[in-house]
PDB file of all heavy atoms in Angstrom:
ATOM      1  N   GLN T  10      37.454 -21.508  -3.325  1.00  0.00           N
ATOM      2  CA  GLN T  10      36.949 -22.580  -2.474  1.00  0.00           C
ATOM      3  C   GLN T  10      36.855 -23.788  -3.371  1.00  0.00           C
ATOM      4  O   GLN T  10      35.914 -23.904  -4.140  1.00  0.00           O
ATOM      5  CB  GLN T  10      35.583 -22.232  -1.921  1.00  0.00           C
ATOM      6  CG  GLN T  10      35.591 -21.150  -0.872  1.00  0.00           C
ATOM      7  CD  GLN T  10      34.194 -20.738  -0.557  1.00  0.00           C
ATOM      8  OE1 GLN T  10      33.497 -20.167  -1.393  1.00  0.00           O
ATOM      9  NE2 GLN T  10      33.744 -21.049   0.642  1.00  0.00           N
ATOM     10  N   ARG T  43      20.701 -20.751  -4.153  1.00  0.00           N
ATOM     11  CA  ARG T  43      20.810 -19.964  -2.924  1.00  0.00           C
ATOM     12  C   ARG T  43      19.611 -20.216  -2.011  1.00  0.00           C
ATOM     13  O   ARG T  43      19.765 -20.306  -0.815  1.00  0.00           O
ATOM     14  CB  ARG T  43      20.909 -18.463  -3.253  1.00  0.00           C
ATOM     15  CG  ARG T  43      22.341 -18.028  -3.420  1.00  0.00           C
ATOM     16  CD  ARG T  43      22.444 -16.511  -3.253  1.00  0.00           C
ATOM     17  NE  ARG T  43      23.344 -16.014  -4.238  1.00  0.00           N
ATOM     18  CZ  ARG T  43      22.981 -15.464  -5.388  1.00  0.00           C
ATOM     19  NH1 ARG T  43      21.708 -15.329  -5.662  1.00  0.00           N
ATOM     20  NH2 ARG T  43      23.874 -15.077  -6.256  1.00  0.00           N
ATOM     21  N   ARG T  44      18.426 -20.301  -2.630  1.00  0.00           N
ATOM     22  CA  ARG T  44      17.251 -20.591  -1.795  1.00  0.00           C
ATOM     23  C   ARG T  44      17.391 -21.943  -1.100  1.00  0.00           C
ATOM     24  O   ARG T  44      16.997 -22.109   0.030  1.00  0.00           O
ATOM     25  CB  ARG T  44      15.973 -20.592  -2.648  1.00  0.00           C
ATOM     26  CG  ARG T  44      15.511 -19.244  -3.088  1.00  0.00           C
ATOM     27  CD  ARG T  44      14.107 -19.315  -3.670  1.00  0.00           C
ATOM     28  NE  ARG T  44      14.014 -20.117  -4.867  1.00  0.00           N
ATOM     29  CZ  ARG T  44      14.223 -19.682  -6.113  1.00  0.00           C
ATOM     30  NH1 ARG T  44      14.531 -18.417  -6.319  1.00  0.00           N
ATOM     31  NH2 ARG T  44      14.101 -20.476  -7.137  1.00  0.00           N
ATOM     32  N   ASP T 205       6.474 -21.979 -35.550  1.00  0.00           N
ATOM     33  CA  ASP T 205       5.157 -22.637 -35.419  1.00  0.00           C
ATOM     34  C   ASP T 205       5.237 -23.973 -34.708  1.00  0.00           C
ATOM     35  O   ASP T 205       4.213 -24.632 -34.503  1.00  0.00           O
ATOM     36  CB  ASP T 205       4.535 -22.849 -36.818  1.00  0.00           C
ATOM     37  CG  ASP T 205       4.190 -21.510 -37.475  1.00  0.00           C
ATOM     38  OD1 ASP T 205       3.919 -20.561 -36.728  1.00  0.00           O
ATOM     39  OD2 ASP T 205       4.187 -21.455 -38.720  1.00  0.00           O
TER      40      ASP T 205
ATOM     41  N   ARG Y  17       8.541 -15.146 -31.902  1.00  0.00           N
ATOM     42  CA  ARG Y  17       8.836 -14.137 -32.943  1.00  0.00           C
ATOM     43  C   ARG Y  17       9.332 -12.813 -32.353  1.00  0.00           C
ATOM     44  O   ARG Y  17       9.541 -11.874 -33.091  1.00  0.00           O
ATOM     45  CB  ARG Y  17       7.587 -13.898 -33.796  1.00  0.00           C
ATOM     46  CG  ARG Y  17       7.219 -15.133 -34.612  1.00  0.00           C
ATOM     47  CD  ARG Y  17       5.869 -14.994 -35.286  1.00  0.00           C
ATOM     48  NE  ARG Y  17       5.689 -16.000 -36.298  1.00  0.00           N
ATOM     49  CZ  ARG Y  17       5.218 -17.233 -36.064  1.00  0.00           C
ATOM     50  NH1 ARG Y  17       4.892 -17.589 -34.842  1.00  0.00           N
ATOM     51  NH2 ARG Y  17       5.099 -18.097 -37.060  1.00  0.00           N
ATOM     52  N   GLY Y 307      16.324 -15.921  -3.003  1.00  0.00           N
ATOM     53  CA  GLY Y 307      17.646 -16.372  -3.417  1.00  0.00           C
ATOM     54  C   GLY Y 307      18.456 -15.291  -4.113  1.00  0.00           C
ATOM     55  O   GLY Y 307      19.495 -15.569  -4.693  1.00  0.00           O
ATOM     56  N   ARG Y 339      28.016 -14.364   0.670  1.00  0.00           N
ATOM     57  CA  ARG Y 339      28.224 -13.866  -0.688  1.00  0.00           C
ATOM     58  C   ARG Y 339      27.044 -13.030  -1.137  1.00  0.00           C
ATOM     59  O   ARG Y 339      26.559 -13.110  -2.258  1.00  0.00           O
ATOM     60  CB  ARG Y 339      28.444 -15.012  -1.695  1.00  0.00           C
ATOM     61  CG  ARG Y 339      29.729 -15.717  -1.482  1.00  0.00           C
ATOM     62  CD  ARG Y 339      29.991 -16.727  -2.567  1.00  0.00           C
ATOM     63  NE  ARG Y 339      31.202 -17.494  -2.240  1.00  0.00           N
ATOM     64  CZ  ARG Y 339      32.403 -17.101  -2.540  1.00  0.00           C
ATOM     65  NH1 ARG Y 339      32.623 -15.974  -3.197  1.00  0.00           N
ATOM     66  NH2 ARG Y 339      33.454 -17.815  -2.204  1.00  0.00           N
TER      67      ARG Y 339
END
Side-chain angles (χ1 to χ4, degrees):
Chain T
Q10 289 171 292
R43 270 200 222 98
R44 286 192 296 273
D205 293 333
Chain Y
R17 293 170 166 86
R339 292 186 186 274

